Amino acid sequence: MQGARFLVLGPLEVTADGRAVEVAGPRVRVVLALLVAGVGRVVSVDALVDALWGQRPPPDARHTVRAYVALLRKALRSAAGAPGGESVMTRSPGYLLRVAPDAIDAARFQQAAAAGRQALAAGRPADAAAQLAAALELWRGPAYVEFADTPALRAESARLDQLRLAALVDRIDADLAAGAGAQLVAELDGLTAQHPGNERLWGQLMTALYRAGRPADALAVYRRAREAIVDGFGLEPSPGLTGIHQQILAQDAALLAAGPSAAVGGRAPRPAQLPAGVAAFTGRHAELADLDALLPAPGAEPGAAVISLVSGTAGVGKTALALRWAHRAADRFPSGQLYVDLRGYDAEAPVPAADALAGFLVALGVAAEDIPLGLADRAASYRTRTAGRRLLVVLDNAGSVEQVAPLLPGTPAAAVVVTSRDSLAGLVARHGARRLALDPLPAADAVALLRELIGERVDRDPGAAIALADLCARLPLALRIAAELAGTRRGAPLPDLVGELGDQHRRLDLLDAGGDRRTALAAVFSWSVRHLPTGAARMFQLAGLHPGANLDVHAGAALAGFDLQISRRTLDLLARAHLLHLTGAGRFGMHDLLRAYAGGLAAAEHAGRDRRAALGRLFDYYLWTAAAAMGRLHPAEQQYRPRLPLPTTPVPALPTPAAALAWLDAERPTLVLLAAHAVEHGRPEHAVLLSDTLSRYLAGGHYTDALAVYGSAIRAAQRTGDRAGEANAHRRLAAVQLRLGGRAEAVDGLQRATALYRSCGDLTGEAYVLIDLGNVEGDRCYRSAVDYHRRALTLFQRAGDPMCQARALVNLGSVERRLGRYELAIEHHQQAQTLLDQIGDVVGAAWTATSLGDIDTDRGSYQTAANHQLRSLALFEQAGDRIGAAWARTGLGDAQTGLGRPDRATEHHRSALADFRDTGHRPGEAWALNGLGDAARAAGRPAVALRWHTDALTVATQIDARDEQARAHAGLGHAHHTLANLDLARQHWQQALARYADLGAPQADGLRAQLTALNPPA
C-alpha cells in the first residue's frame, strides 16, 4: 500500500496519498491499532482474542478475528486502488503489519526525539530544540485515545505519553542550553502542576526563574517542589534538585550560563550533605586555623588527599568543630560535601562502611541498581566517582580505622575530616592523617559560651560563671546542658545553681573515685535530671532501656505508662533540655553517653519489678502493633498469627495497608533489636511471637533482618523448651538461607525442623517443610520437586487448610510448568485461585498470577502473560512484598522480550535485578541476569548477551541452581552461534542439554534439534 500513513498520536486515522481511509467497525479498528502498535512483529491470534473479548471470548472467537482481518485488508486495498501491495500478512501464530517505519507517526516521533537528544548531547542545542519541537508537533491528542478499554493499547498509550513528556522535558533542556530563561516560566509553571513528581521540571523552572532575575521565586519553587515530593511520594528531593537549590543560594554564575540544567545530569550531582552547625559556637580559633592550614593554597595543585583527624574525649565538641570548619570551607570544594555519622560508639548499631558507601554513591549520582554488592567493589566505585573532584568528606564519630579506610577518596583534590574519641593511630600511620587533639575549652571561651547561652547573668557574677565552667570540665556538651537548666530557672542566682551542681559533683566524685572529666559530665547530667519534673525524669531514665536507636511518642508512652498527650509533652521537654534530640519527624534519639547514664539510673533507681514492667509494656506495644500492621497488610493470614491481648498503653492507628507498611518499615531496625533484647531480658516468648508475626513481611526481601529475628527466636525457644516455636524458626531461617544461596544450610535447618515437628506431632508443620524441600529441589530436579509438593498438598488437604492447600497447588503448578505440562499446571493454578478467592489472600493471588504469566510466556501468549504479570505486580506492591514484585517484573521482562520489545524488557529486568541484589536473593539474581541476556539477544546485541549470561552462569553455579545454569548455557550458545563461534556454541548447548535432561525439562528436545542442525548426521 503505497503512500499510506497510520496516525495513532491522537484519534486513529489512516491516510493514503493525502486522503482519509475509512476503517469501519470498533473491533476492526482495535485489530488495526494492535497491529500498528506491534509493527514489525507478529501479533498472535490469542493476543487479538484477549484484547477484543478479555476472559470471556465467544466460541468462534478465532474465526471472528480472521473475519475482522479480512475486512481490514479490504479497506486498505480499496484505499490503495489496486489489489496488490498487501500490508497485513499472515504469519504464524497471527498477523504482521508490514509497512515502512516512517509510515507510523509514533515511529516518526520517536526517531525525531532521538535525533534531538543526540544533537543536545553533541552540544547543538538550537538544532536539538528544533528537532524535538518537530517531534512534539506530531501529537494531536493522547495516543490511542479511543482504545482506553483495551489493556494492551492502554499500556502502549501510557508508554508513548511518557516518551512525549520526556521529549518535552528534553526540548526545554535544549532551550535552557541555548540560553533561554524567562520565556519558559509560564510553560513550566503549568507542567510542574501537572507533573509534581518530575524533578527535572522543577529544576528547569528554578533555573528559568533564576535567569529571569527572580531568585526569591526560584527558592520558593524549591520549597513547593520539596513539599510536593515529600508529601506525595515520601522521599526527599534528589541531589540534582538540591544541587540547583544550593547554586541559587550561592548565587552561582554557572546557573546563568547557557548549558544543560543540573537536574538532567548535564553535570555530576553536587551533594550538599552537611548538617547544620551548632548555635552559639565560641572559641576554637587556633583549631580552625590549623584545619585551614592543612589545605593547599587556592590555585595550588594538591599533592595528596588531606585527611584531618579531630580526636578527643566525649562531649568535647569534635562534631561542632568539624561542622563549623566544614561550612566555612565549603566554597573551596565546588564538587560538594558528603557527611555521615558512623555512630562508632553506639554499642547497638554502628554504621558499616558498606552502608555508608552506598549512601555516598547515591549522593554522587549512582543508580541503585548500579551500586555493587561487596565492600571492596563499592569502595572502588566510590574512588572512581570522586576521582579528580574537589569534595569535602566529613566522617563523624568513627569507631575504628576499619570503619574509615574504605570511605577515603583516592583523589588528591578531596579533603576528609574524621572525628573520633579514639586516637586512630593506624589512620595516621597508614593513611597520613594529621591529628588535631581537641582539649576542653579554655576558661575564657567556656565562659563566653555560657554568656551566649544564658546571657547577662554571666557578667553579673563572673566568678560563679567561671566556677560553673570548671564544674562542667569546660566540655561544650556539659556546658550546654547546664546552661539550659540555668535558663529555665531565671529567678535563681547563678551562685546558688553553682552550689547545687558542686554538691552533686562531689557526691559523684566520691562514688567514682575518679575525678576525671566523665565525672563532670555525670554531674551535669544528674543535676539536669534532678531538676526535671518527676514524670520527665522517669521518662528519661526508662528511655535508657529502649533497645533501638530512637523512639516515638507511642514507644515513650509504653515505657512510662503515659497517655499520648503526656508522652508527647514529656519527650518535647526532654529535647528542649538537650537530654534527647530529634532524629526525624516525631522521633527522638539519645547521645550514647546520655543513654548509658539513663540506663544506669533506671537500674539504680527502679526496682527490678518496675523495670520489667516497663520493658513488658514496651514489648507488648511493639508486638501488638506489628501484628495489627500485618493484619492490615495480610488479612487472609490473620488466623495463622498469634492472638494477642490489646496493650495497656496507646497504639497508633494504621487505617490502610500503606500506613501499616510505613510503620513496619520505620520500626524494622527496632523490631530486630527487640527480638534479641527480649531473649536477654526475661521475655523469650516475645522473640518467638515476633518471629511468627513478622514472617510474611520479612520474606518480602528483608533477609538480613530475618536472619537476626529467626536466630533470636531459635535461642528463645530453646530456653523455654518451645519445640513448635523452634521448629517454625528453623524452617523460616532455612527458607531465607535458600534465597541467599545457602542450600546446604537450608537443608540442615529443614531437617532440624522436621525432627522437631515430628516430636510434637505437627503434621501441618511437616507439610510446610515438604514445600520448602520442594523449593530446594525446584531448580535441581523437577520430578523430585513435584513429589515433595504433592505430598505436602495431601497433608494440607487432610488438615482442611485452604490457604496452605492453595500455596501447595501454586508451587506444584509452577514445577509442572517447568516440566512442560501446561494444562496440568493451569488446572492446579485454577484450583488454587478458587481457594484464594474464598479467603481473600492477596499474596497468594499475586503468586498465582505470576505463575500463570510464566505459563503464557512459555506458550508464546506474550500479551496475556504481560497482563498476568502486571496484575501480579500491582498485588505484590499493595502487600509491600518487594521480592514478589521483583519476580513479577522479571516475568514481565520475559513477556516483553517475547513481544519484541527488548528495551522495555531490559528496564524490567534491571529493576528486578536491583531488588534481588539489594536483598541478596541469589536465585532471583540469576533469573534476572538471564532475562537481560535474552533481551539483549532479541535486540540484536549478542556480545552484550554474552556478558549477561556469563554473569548469570556465575551466580547459578555458586548456588547450584541447575535450571538457571542450563538457561545461561543455552543463551551463551545462541549468542556464540550468532557471532559465528560455532565450537563455543556447540559446547554451551551440550552443557545446557545435559542439565535440562537431568532436570527433566522439555527444553532438552529443542537443544537436541539445534545440535543436530549444527552437526548434521553423516
Side-chain angles (χ1 to χ4, degrees):
M1 186 176 168
Q2 301 298 317
R5 290 288 184 268
F6 298 85
L7 310 180
V8 296
L9 301 181
L12 175 65
E13 294 180 16
V14 182
T15 64
D17 301 324
R19 295 178 295 106
V21 177
E22 183 179 0
V23 180
R27 287 200 167 112
V28 177
R29 292 174 68 81
V30 170
V31 171
L32 173 58
L34 287 165
L35 291 173
V36 172
V39 66
R41 61 174 176 76
V42 176
V43 180
S44 70
V45 174
D46 285 343
L48 293 170
V49 168
D50 183 68
L52 291 166
W53 293 285
Q55 299 297 316
R56 296 184 177 179
D60 60 347
R62 299 176 72 85
H63 175 76
T64 305
V65 167
R66 287 196 291 272
Y68 290 155
V69 171
L71 289 171
L72 177 60
R73 284 170 169 163
K74 181 178 179 182
L76 297 179
R77 282 197 298 266
S78 173
E86 193 74 80
S87 55
V88 180
M89 316 296 295
T90 301
R91 294 286 186 272
S92 180
Y95 302 97
L96 169 73
L97 179 66
R98 188 176 65 182
V99 296
D102 63 357
I104 300 172
D105 60 351
R108 295 201 303 279
F109 158 70
Q110 292 177 80
Q111 291 168 354
R117 281 190 289 271
Q118 289 173 357
L120 182 59
R124 304 195 313 275
D127 291 345
Q131 289 172 314
L132 288 160
L136 292 164
E137 286 174 1
L138 294 171
W139 286 75
R140 299 168 293 113
Y144 296 98
V145 62
E146 67 188 89
F147 305 107
D149 294 333
T150 305
L153 293 172
R154 188 166 63 241
E156 179 66 6
S157 174
R159 183 184 76 87
L160 288 169
D161 282 343
Q162 289 295 318
L163 293 177
R164 178 181 179 275
L165 177 61
L168 179 58
V169 178
D170 288 340
R171 194 226 79 215
I172 296 171
D173 262 333
D175 288 336
L176 287 170
Q183 59 268 49
L184 299 172
V185 169
E187 179 183 16
L188 285 164
D189 257 333
L191 288 170
T192 53
Q194 295 172 36
H195 307 284
N198 191 310
E199 294 194 24
R200 289 179 67 191
L201 290 170
W202 287 113
Q204 290 170 336
L205 178 55
M206 291 164 63
T207 303
L209 284 166
Y210 187 71
R211 289 185 179 181
R214 299 165 59 185
D217 291 337
L219 294 173
V221 164
Y222 176 76
R223 291 192 291 272
R224 277 170 39 208
R226 184 182 182 278
E227 182 179 346
I229 294 164
V230 171
D231 291 350
F233 306 96
L235 300 170
E236 286 291 334
S238 71
L241 194 59
T242 57
I244 296 176
H245 181 232
Q246 291 295 321
Q247 285 181 282
I248 294 171
L249 288 173
Q251 300 182 12
D252 189 345
L255 208 57
L256 296 171
S261 69
V264 301
R267 58 173 63 92
R270 183 179 183 271
Q273 295 187 327
L274 293 179
V278 299
F281 185 94
T282 61
R284 303 300 194 195
H285 303 296
E287 291 86 350
L288 290 168
D290 286 345
L291 289 170
D292 285 335
L294 292 175
L295 295 179
E301 285 296 321
V306 175
I307 305 171
S308 304
L309 169 62
V310 180
S311 63
T313 189
V316 78
K318 299 180 295 296
T319 298
L321 174 70
L323 291 179
R324 183 74 166 191
W325 180 82
H327 282 289
R328 287 194 349 174
D331 61 352
R332 298 181 64 176
F333 298 94
S335 298
Q337 311 93 41
L338 297 169
Y339 171 88
V340 64
D341 181 356
L342 292 170
R343 300 200 304 266
Y345 294 89
D346 187 328
E348 300 288 353
V351 175
D355 291 355
L357 283 168
F360 282 177
L361 288 171
V362 169
L364 292 167
V366 180
E369 64 267 25
D370 294 330
I371 293 177
L373 283 181
L375 173 62
D377 290 338
R378 287 183 179 183
S381 178
Y382 169 65
R383 290 192 295 272
T384 299
R385 289 278 170 170
T386 56
R389 300 185 63 183
R390 291 194 59 77
L391 274 166
L392 174 59
V393 183
V394 179
L395 307 176
D396 202 9
N397 292 316
S400 66
V401 176
E402 290 71 25
Q403 198 181 22
V404 169
L407 307 177
L408 300 177
T411 176
V416 183
V417 178
V418 183
T419 74
S420 179
R421 294 181 208 168
D422 193 282
S423 62
L424 299 184
L427 195 66
V428 176
R430 295 201 298 273
H431 299 281
R434 312 284 183 88
R435 184 185 292 116
L436 175 60
L438 202 59
D439 293 321
L441 287 170
D445 290 340
V447 172
L449 178 57
L450 287 173
R451 182 180 297 108
E452 288 284 330
L453 295 169
I454 59 179
E456 61 185 16
R457 295 161 73 189
V458 168
D459 295 324
R460 285 203 301 263
D461 201 330
I466 293 172
L468 180 58
D470 287 340
L471 287 170
C472 293
R474 305 194 307 278
L475 295 171
L477 174 62
L479 288 164
R480 290 178 186 280
I481 295 174
E484 179 61 31
L485 182 57
T488 63
R489 301 176 64 199
R490 294 185 180 277
L494 198 56
D496 291 353
L497 299 179
V498 171
E500 291 183 23
L501 178 55
D503 291 342
Q504 186 66 21
H505 188 284
R506 280 189 290 275
R507 282 197 295 272
L508 289 171
D509 192 25
L510 289 171
L511 289 172
D512 290 350
D516 64 9
R517 295 186 185 111
R518 286 173 295 181
T519 304
L521 281 170
V524 175
F525 295 166
S526 174
W527 185 50
S528 185
V529 171
R530 190 158 55 87
H531 288 89
L532 289 171
T534 303
R538 182 168 174 271
M539 173 77 89
F540 171 73
Q541 294 161 13
L542 294 175
L545 302 176
H546 191 280
N550 52 53
L551 73 162
D552 67 358
V553 64
H554 289 91
L559 274 170
F562 290 165
D563 65 29
L564 277 187
Q565 187 175 8
I566 294 175
S567 177
R568 183 175 291 108
R569 284 204 308 264
T570 305
L571 290 170
D572 287 340
L573 188 155
L574 292 172
R576 289 196 303 272
H578 296 282
L579 296 171
L580 295 179
H581 61 269
L582 281 171
T583 61
R587 304 194 74 83
F588 300 84
M590 300 180 80
H591 189 287
D592 54 356
L593 289 173
L594 285 164
R595 180 189 298 278
Y597 178 70
L601 284 183
E605 299 190 16
H606 292 273
R609 183 173 59 188
D610 291 341
R611 292 198 307 277
R612 287 193 297 273
L615 282 173
R617 289 191 300 269
L618 186 73
F619 292 153
D620 288 344
Y621 155 69
Y622 277 117
L623 181 57
W624 191 93
T625 311
M630 294 300 296
R632 184 67 68 186
L633 276 174
H634 305 287
E637 299 181 14
Q638 192 65 27
Q639 61 176 314
Y640 299 94
R641 285 188 288 273
R643 296 183 182 275
L644 305 168
L646 186 67
T648 58
T649 57
V651 294
L654 301 174
T656 64
L661 183 61
W663 186 89
L664 288 167
D665 287 342
E667 298 291 357
R668 185 173 69 251
T670 296
L671 294 171
V672 174
L673 293 170
L674 196 75
H677 208 65
V679 180
E680 303 303 326
H681 290 79
R683 294 283 180 145
E685 69 281 359
H686 278 76
V688 176
L689 291 171
L690 201 59
S691 166
D692 292 340
T693 299
L694 293 174
S695 60
R696 168 61 62 193
Y697 169 70
L698 295 173
H702 307 297
Y703 296 146
T704 302
D705 294 330
L707 293 175
V709 170
Y710 297 146
S712 296
I714 289 170
R715 294 194 304 276
Q718 289 171 342
R719 288 190 182 187
T720 59
D722 180 0
R723 288 180 294 176
E726 184 183 354
N728 288 334
H730 274 299
R731 177 174 58 79
R732 290 172 180 139
L733 182 63
V736 173
Q737 289 168 331
L738 181 63
R739 291 171 182 142
L740 294 173
R743 187 183 303 274
E745 296 90 339
V747 171
D748 181 65
L750 292 173
Q751 290 172 345
R752 292 171 184 263
T754 299
L756 288 162
Y757 283 132
R758 285 177 178 167
S759 71
C760 49
D762 187 345
L763 288 178
T764 300
E766 286 192 59
Y768 271 123
V769 172
L770 289 172
I771 284 185
D772 291 330
L773 288 170
N775 292 333
V776 170
E777 290 296 304
D779 55 10
R780 291 161 54 88
C781 179
Y782 295 157
R783 293 186 180 88
S784 176
V786 165
D787 179 61
Y788 280 120
H789 290 310
R790 283 178 177 164
R791 288 163 57 194
L793 177 61
T794 300
L795 289 177
F796 285 140
Q797 288 171 333
R798 190 184 306 167
D801 189 320
M803 177 178 288
C804 296
Q805 290 178 53
R807 298 287 167 84
L809 285 164
V810 171
N811 279 281
L812 183 57
S814 178
V815 182
E816 294 286 14
R817 171 191 70 80
R818 291 179 232 172
L819 285 165
R821 303 168 182 168
Y822 299 124
E823 298 305 322
L824 187 56
I826 291 172
E827 180 183 339
H828 289 317
H829 287 306
Q830 289 173 340
Q831 292 173 0
Q833 192 59 60
T834 300
L835 294 168
L836 294 167
D837 288 342
Q838 293 172 4
I839 58 179
D841 182 2
V842 172
V843 172
W847 283 115
T848 303
T850 288
S851 295
L852 288 170
D854 292 340
I855 292 171
D856 284 319
T857 294
D858 286 356
R859 299 197 304 177
S861 299
Y862 300 118
Q863 189 57 59
T864 306
N867 293 341
H868 279 305
Q869 301 292 5
L870 286 169
R871 176 172 181 268
S872 171
L873 179 59
L875 292 173
F876 277 129
E877 289 180 339
Q878 174 187 331
D881 191 325
R882 184 180 182 186
I883 287 302
W887 279 114
R889 284 193 187 93
T890 197
L892 185 58
D894 290 339
Q896 295 289 359
T897 297
L899 287 167
R901 301 167 183 165
D903 290 341
R904 293 172 68 180
T906 297
E907 292 175 10
H908 292 304
H909 286 306
R910 278 187 179 275
S911 176
L913 179 63
D915 282 339
F916 286 135
R917 281 180 166 170
D918 190 44
T919 57
H921 195 299
R922 304 304 305 285
E925 183 182 356
W927 184 293
L929 287 166
N930 270 325
L932 285 165
D934 292 341
R937 186 161 48 87
R941 299 193 292 269
V944 177
L946 285 177
R947 177 166 60 87
W948 289 123
H949 285 306
T950 299
D951 290 348
L953 183 59
T954 299
V955 175
T957 302
Q958 289 170 348
I959 63 175
D960 196 22
R962 297 175 189 173
D963 56 351
E964 291 306 307
Q965 291 176 32
R967 185 181 174 193
H969 278 300
L972 288 167
H974 289 302
H976 281 301
H977 188 264
T978 303
L979 294 168
N981 301 327
L982 300 187
D983 287 341
L984 288 172
R986 183 184 302 107
Q987 293 172 23
H988 283 293
W989 280 344
Q990 288 170 343
Q991 295 269 21
L993 175 60
R995 284 165 176 75
Y996 278 133
D998 290 342
L999 288 161
Q1003 290 94 327
D1005 294 335
L1007 282 170
R1008 287 191 187 95
Q1010 286 172 322
L1011 282 166
T1012 300
L1014 200 61
N1015 300 297

